[in-house]
Structures are given as C-alpha cells and as structure tokens.
Amino acid sequence: MASMTDRLDFFSRRCAWVNGPIIVGAGPSGLAVAACLKEHGVPSVILERADCIASLWQKRTYDRLKLHLPKQFCQLPKFPFPEHYPEYPTKKQFVDYLESYAKHFEISPRFNQSVQSARYDETCGLWRVRTVGAGAEVEYIGRWLVVATGENAEKVVPELEGLGGFGGDVIHACDYKSGEAYRGKRVLVIGCGNSGMELCLDLCDHDAFPAMVVRDSVHVLPREVLGKSTFELAVLLMKWLPLWLVDKILLWLAWLLLGNVEKHGLRRPSTGPLELKNTQGRTPVLDLGALAKIRSGDIKVVPGIKRFSSGSVELVDGQALDIDSVILATGYRSNVPQWLQVPTKILHCFSLTVESEDNMGD
C-alpha cells in the first residue's frame, strides 16, 4: 500500500495520464520506438530533458564527427537516409535526418522534462514518472515505460591527483568543438577510444601538439577493408562463422592493413573485439587516420597519469610533460540507475531490455 507521503505527493503536483507507453529520451531509439508504435495505432509520449531531439548529437559532439558506421546500419525503421547522403553522413546530416524523421511521423516530444524518478506502483499497476521542467513538476502516469536514454547520458570525469592545481584549460570531450582554439598548444588527451583518437587527429589538423594517454589495452581496426566497411564485413561473416573465428579474421586483417600497433604503445586486449563488445561493452576503435599520425610522431602516445602540477603532468613511467590544456575523452555512462526504481519481480525483464539497447554514438 502506498505511504501517506506518496499520496500527498500525488496530489501536490500536476498529473498527466498517458494513453500508451511513456518514452524517456528523444534520441534515435526513442524516436524509432514512437514511430513504430504510431504505425500500429499506439499513441505514446516522449519525455526529453533537453530542448531538442538528439541532444547528444546536437550539443555534445565535435564539429568533424561523422557516423562511424555506414548509413544503412544507422537508419531508423521505415525511413531510409536520403540517397544523396554519403556513406558516412556528417553530424549535421544525421541531425537533419532525425528532425525529418520526427516531422514525417509527426512526433512531438515534450522538451525540458527532466525525469527525477520513475517507479512502478504495484497497487494500481501503473508507472509514475515524475519530471521537473520550467519550474513545474509533472507526474506522468501510464501502463508502460520505455527507457531510451542510451548509454551516453552523463559524462565520466575521473578523479586525477593534482588536476585542480594544474592551472590550464580542462574540458570534457562533450564540450570540445574544434581544434582551432588549441592551435600551437600542447594538449593532453586522456582516453584512447574513438573520441580520443579523433580529437587527437583534429588537433593535429589545427597545428596543435596532442599527447594521448593510453592506460588500458585497445583494439584498433581499419574502418574499411578493400572498400567494404569492417562492421559490414563482420556482420556478413557472423552469418556463417562463430564469433571467435570472426574475431580472429578481423584481427588478422587489422594486422595486415595496420601493422603491429603494439610497438606504438597500443596494446591489444587478449579478448577479441566482438567478444569484448558483447561481454564488456567496449567498442573497438575504427581508425580514421590517427594511427598514421601516431606513427609519424604527430600524436604522442603516453602511459597512465601519476599526478598533475602547475602546467605539467607526471606519468606513471616517471616522465614529465609540459602541457597547456587537458581534454578528458573519458567516456559516458547511463543515468538510468539514478532515477529508475524497478520492482524485483520485473527487474530481470528490464535488464534484458537494457542489454539489447543499441548505441549509435561511441
């Protein structure tokens, strides 16, 4: 039975009944779910904390970003990309496509609705989703909840000794737009994923001097093999071969096309790239040109950080670097655990849904 506090809260805020699923998140997944439901005559409501669709793409990505996978693997249901789009659409083209998708299916998310909590009221068998926006609280009530906030809702900012006393510019990759502001500067990029690699490449293109911190092992694969997307090749091979064998083929092709990357400080994991993605969610890096810059010395690969001091950083191997700026390409995390309260009896079902969620970013 609901507590007295719950009952008072229920009557203290505006309530809105949703005659269909409540969808949290107006990114690609949320839009696709709403469109497919609409095609079957099922209404829904999308709640979005930002003031636009696909806020990750519109507000927290760098200017040179393109889709890392061919467009046919990234298009949403029942609405292909325009034929004139290139194989790897730009950030602007992808955002334009998503806006066209929403317009085509007449999807109108409710913006500036930040979800504070979502819980299943077992007494009445309904979801109660509390939001805050424009100084007002609203509780959306409905039978179904769809979590479409993705894996990249919140930036990860690690604790680094001495960073507060560094004195130079420190930003997360989500705030990076272009290397123009770093022209001529010595920049430490912390992280060697797709974002870290591509930011280093962009910094080189703007005459900056990047050093990339590579603390963990990482798989680097060519984006294409003989004109074919590596991802497309992997999907094709998986139809006929076991995952472990596909991994071995991909690593052999990577060695053939990229050479031995370990001599450049990029140690490969013992687990294959596809298995690592499936088991730990770690996405392999698709090389867009950063490896050539590493070979030439334009991008310096350095080990983990020991501590920062004013204008410099000491590394775990004892060397010290003078630097002007720091960029944290340290990734993102889901914020779902902060607001979703899941009853034990449906927790297993929810976990299966989360594990199947696609990630269209890094």
Side-chain angles (χ1 to χ4, degrees):
M1 182 175 291
S3 67
M4 182 61 69
T5 302
D6 287 338
R7 292 174 183 173
L8 291 174
D9 285 345
F10 182 87
F11 291 107
S12 66
R13 66 178 68 95
R14 185 165 69 87
C15 296
W17 169 256
V18 178
N19 187 26
I22 302 167
I23 303 171
V24 182
S29 295
L31 296 176
V33 170
C36 291
L37 288 171
K38 196 162 194 173
E39 285 284 284
H40 289 83
V42 180
S44 64
V45 167
I46 298 181
L47 306 178
E48 169 57 48
R49 65 177 178 176
D51 59 359
C52 61
I53 64 170
S55 61
L56 174 66
W57 281 84
Q58 297 212 50
K59 298 188 174 185
R60 294 187 288 157
T61 50
Y62 39 96
D63 294 343
R64 69 175 290 147
L65 178 63
K66 295 182 179 181
L67 289 178
H68 287 170
L69 304 181
K71 60 183 179 182
Q72 66 265 32
F73 294 104
C74 300
Q75 63 192 19
L76 303 189
K78 307 178 186 298
F79 194 78
F81 278 105
E83 290 186 6
H84 69 273
Y85 269 31
E87 186 76 353
Y88 301 95
T90 65
K91 166 184 171 178
K92 183 181 184 306
Q93 287 173 326
F94 188 55
V95 170
D96 288 345
Y97 165 75
L98 294 177
E99 290 181 338
S100 297
Y101 189 88
K103 182 177 180 180
H104 176 80
F105 289 100
E106 298 180 333
I107 300 170
S108 300
R110 300 189 183 184
F111 296 119
N112 300 306
Q113 294 291 300
S114 178
V115 174
Q116 302 300 298
S117 67
R119 71 180 187 86
Y120 186 73
D121 190 326
E122 298 186 69
T123 302
C124 56
L126 298 172
W127 282 96
R128 295 171 55 177
V129 182
R130 183 169 62 87
T131 69
V132 173
E137 287 192 16
V138 180
E139 185 163 67
Y140 294 88
I141 303 171
R143 292 179 60 191
W144 303 279
L145 175 68
V146 177
V147 177
T149 52
E151 300 172 347
N152 303 319
E154 303 291 343
K155 61 186 179 183
V156 173
V157 179
E159 291 187 8
L160 299 167
E161 185 178 346
L163 186 59
F166 164 61
D169 294 330
V170 180
I171 67 167
H172 190 273
C174 67
D175 298 312
Y176 179 95
K177 297 303 177 185
S178 165
E180 182 62 39
Y182 298 90
R183 195 175 293 274
K185 293 185 177 182
R186 299 161 298 184
V187 186
L188 186 71
V189 177
I190 303 176
C192 59
N194 282 297
S195 292
M197 290 277 196
E198 196 159 352
L199 263 58
C200 283
L201 184 60
D202 191 56
L203 288 165
C204 286
D205 290 345
H206 288 87
D207 299 322
F209 305 99
M212 181 173 62
V213 175
V214 180
R215 186 183 63 177
D216 299 320
S217 56
V218 59
H219 279 300
V220 181
L221 303 177
R223 183 172 71 170
E224 294 184 341
V225 177
L226 300 176
K228 278 283 188 181
S229 159
T230 301
F231 179 79
E232 184 177 0
L233 175 63
V235 170
L236 178 64
L237 292 174
M238 286 288 290
K239 293 181 179 180
W240 307 100
L241 302 173
L243 183 143
W244 67 267
L245 183 54
V246 177
D247 266 342
K248 286 188 177 296
I249 293 172
L250 292 180
L251 290 175
W252 179 79
L253 290 171
W255 178 85
L256 189 67
L257 296 174
L258 303 179
N260 180 12
V261 299
E262 296 201 5
K263 66 181 181 181
H264 301 294
L266 302 173
R267 180 171 49 89
R268 288 195 183 278
S270 57
T271 305
L274 297 182
E275 184 180 350
L276 198 63
K277 174 63 177 174
N278 284 350
T279 57
Q280 299 183 31
R282 290 175 57 188
T283 304
V285 172
L286 298 178
D287 180 51
L288 305 180
L291 194 56
K293 295 291 186 181
I294 291 173
R295 289 197 190 98
S296 68
D298 292 322
I299 298 174
K300 183 177 182 179
V301 173
V302 299
I305 295 166
K306 186 173 183 181
R307 67 172 64 89
F308 284 91
S309 56
S310 179
S312 68
V313 61
E314 181 183 352
L315 305 174
V316 293
D317 63 357
Q319 66 174 310
L321 299 178
D322 292 328
I323 53 174
D324 301 304
S325 303
V326 175
I327 300 174
L328 303 171
T330 45
Y332 303 84
R333 66 165 63 95
S334 169
N335 66 359
V336 174
Q338 299 173 22
W339 52 264
L340 182 62
Q341 304 166 36
V342 185
T344 303
K345 69 179 183 180
I346 64 172
L347 181 59
H348 176 65
C349 178
F350 172 76
S351 68
L352 294 177
T353 304
V354 170
E355 288 169 6
S356 67
E357 181 74 23
D358 282 335
N359 174 22
M360 298 189 67
D362 278 347

